[in-house]
């Protein structure tokens, strides 16, 4: 990329800050995040930090390397239709057909998603999904 351009998938925060003199107990933290969404090679990326010091400035360079690739993970499905459901006051859901075998006594419709690791190495699977009154995902983070 061009000078001053941020590489894709790299986020640096904060971009500016002040490290006050005499505050060794309060260091300034700069967060460098690499979070690619697709296959990507970061090798050779240089971050340059400029620190003004009196009439001039000091320059520090940090070389970043990193690689990301999509793991070979299979899901038993990638879309699922729960069908018609009724939402009652208080947020509880009830399946449209009370005699449905999927009904678990409290009107919950449940489905099991099977995840299979076909990759050469282990893969961590987890979720950031937050439970809502009408949908719950039960997944403990684990290695496949």
């Amino acid at each position: 990329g061009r000078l001053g351009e941020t590489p894709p998938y790299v986020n640096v925060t904060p971009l500016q800050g002040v490290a006050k003199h005499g505050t060794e107990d309060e260091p300034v933290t700069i967060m460098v995040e690499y979070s690619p969404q697709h296959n990507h090679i970061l090798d050779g990326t240089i971050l340059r930090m400029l620190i003004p010091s009196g009439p001039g400035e000091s320059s520090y360079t940090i070389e970043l390397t990193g690689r990301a690739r999509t793991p070979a993970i299979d899901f038993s499905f990638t879309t699922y239709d729960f069908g018609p459901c009724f939402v009652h006051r208080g947020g509880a859901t009830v399946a449209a057909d009370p005699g449905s075998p999927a009904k678990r006594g409290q009107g919950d419709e449940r489905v099991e998603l099977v995840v299979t690791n076909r990759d050469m190495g282990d893969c961590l699977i987890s979720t950031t999904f937050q439970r809502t009154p009408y949908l719950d995902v039960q997944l403990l983070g684990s290695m496949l």
Side-chain angles (χ1 to χ4, degrees), residues 2 14 33 41 57 64-65 80 90 92 97-98 114 120:
R2 285 180 269 151
E33 293 179 87
I41 297 175
E57 63 184 18
L64 302 178
T65 60
Y80 186 82
D97 179 8
V114 178
M120 300 293 281

Side-chain angles (χ1 to χ4, degrees), residues 48-118:
R48 191 172 130 201
M49 185 178 353
L50 299 175
I51 301 180
S53 54
E57 63 184 18
S58 298
S59 174
Y60 299 87
T61 59
I62 301 168
E63 182 177 351
L64 302 178
T65 60
R67 296 167 193 247
R69 66 177 182 79
T70 306
I73 301 293
D74 289 336
F75 295 90
S76 58
F77 58 85
T78 56
T79 62
Y80 186 82
D81 182 356
F82 283 100
C85 296
F86 298 107
V87 178
H88 291 269
R89 288 189 185 135
T93 60
V94 177
D97 179 8
S100 167
K103 190 167 166 56
R104 301 275 191 260
Q106 296 193 2
D108 293 342
E109 175 78 20
R110 297 173 189 247
V111 66
E112 186 174 283
L113 172 65
V114 178
V115 182
T116 306
N117 183 359
R118 301 200 188 289

